[in-house]
Amino acid sequence: GTSAAIVSRGEVSTAPASSPVRVSRDAGAELLMRQPFGTIVGLLAHEGWEITSPSTEDGTFEIVLPAVRYDIGLAVVTIKPPRFTCVARSSAERDGDYQERLVGEMALQNGESILTATTRWGSVVSISGAGSARCRVGRERDRVVLQADMTVGLGVPNAPGLQSIMEYFVRNYASKAMNDCTRALAKGADRLHRSAAPDGEPP
């Protein structure tokens, strides 16, 4: 059999994600930043994310992301729906045109056997993971911006090339999740703006 090789916990580097508020632009982005935690987090559900127990009082909630299947050449990797707890707090940090709204501390809750890799040479392996992230949500003019500092650990069986495959998967999965998040919030900003200004006038 193969012996387990635990990948050292380390930071996952991803570029900040941003999405434009396409219709209401600056006004919609600014309106989004004024919303309570529960409203902002609830907008993520429109991209297929499941949001449970959002609390406007203490900013504590749970996020469940969709399951995915990636074919990345040497292996097909699937992930069960990852479930995260998140505790958010307000932030008023500013840097040039960037205005921050909240900071969320996320922690993976169901990392046991969360990943399965089916390699081209016929092996099927189950992989457990642990992960946490500090996410910062804000805006820069008419764009919703998400920055995340992530730490990930994986228990990867000692099979040829598997560690590199899993590290590649994690980076790509994280990047896609961040882009899905900003896109959902930008679309949500336009919906909020339409609701606040049914005649098309600024709220």
Side-chain angles (χ1 to χ4, degrees):
T2 58
S3 59
I6 303 300
V7 177
S8 298
R9 288 179 64 89
E11 294 182 355
V12 176
S13 297
T14 56
S18 70
S19 294
V21 181
R22 296 190 179 279
V23 179
S24 54
R25 302 184 65 82
D26 283 34
E30 195 276 333
L31 179 62
L32 175 68
M33 296 298 114
R34 296 204 310 261
Q35 302 306 306
F37 289 133
T39 299
I40 295 174
V41 173
L43 295 174
L44 298 176
H46 288 273
E47 288 292 323
W49 296 23
E50 180 184 342
I51 313 298
T52 61
S53 302
S55 169
T56 56
E57 289 77 25
D58 62 4
T60 300
F61 50 91
E62 187 175 86
I63 298 176
V64 181
L65 276 61
V68 298
R69 178 184 184 276
Y70 284 167
D71 187 336
I72 50 179
L74 292 177
V76 174
V77 181
T78 58
I79 184 170
K80 300 174 185 175
R83 186 177 72 254
F84 296 89
T85 57
C86 184
V87 179
R89 60 176 174 82
S90 291
S91 174
E93 292 288 327
R94 300 184 74 98
D95 183 6
D97 292 326
Y98 175 72
Q99 171 193 347
E100 198 162 84
R101 169 61 182 91
L102 62 86
V103 178
E105 304 284 350
M106 298 177 62
L108 180 66
Q109 299 300 301
N110 61 332
E112 184 70 25
S113 301
I114 192 169
L115 293 155
T116 300
T118 303
T119 67
R120 292 298 184 217
W121 51 90
S123 299
V124 179
V125 294
S126 179
I127 299 165
S128 294
S132 60
R134 173 173 290 178
C135 303
R136 300 179 179 274
V137 177
R139 75 167 179 124
E140 189 167 358
R141 297 184 181 180
D142 64 344
R143 301 185 73 89
V144 178
V145 179
L146 171 64
Q147 304 172 72
D149 299 317
M150 290 171 276
T151 302
V152 175
L154 297 172
V156 182
N158 190 15
L162 190 56
Q163 179 172 332
S164 296
I165 289 169
M166 297 313 302
E167 290 173 349
Y168 175 84
F169 169 82
V170 168
R171 283 195 303 271
N172 280 269
Y173 184 81
S175 179
K176 181 181 185 303
M178 290 173 63
N179 282 293
D180 286 349
C181 178
T182 57
R183 190 162 47 246
L185 292 177
K187 291 178 181 177
D190 274 332
R191 288 195 301 274
L192 288 168
H193 192 266
R194 283 198 301 272
S195 298
D199 297 324
E201 296 298 325

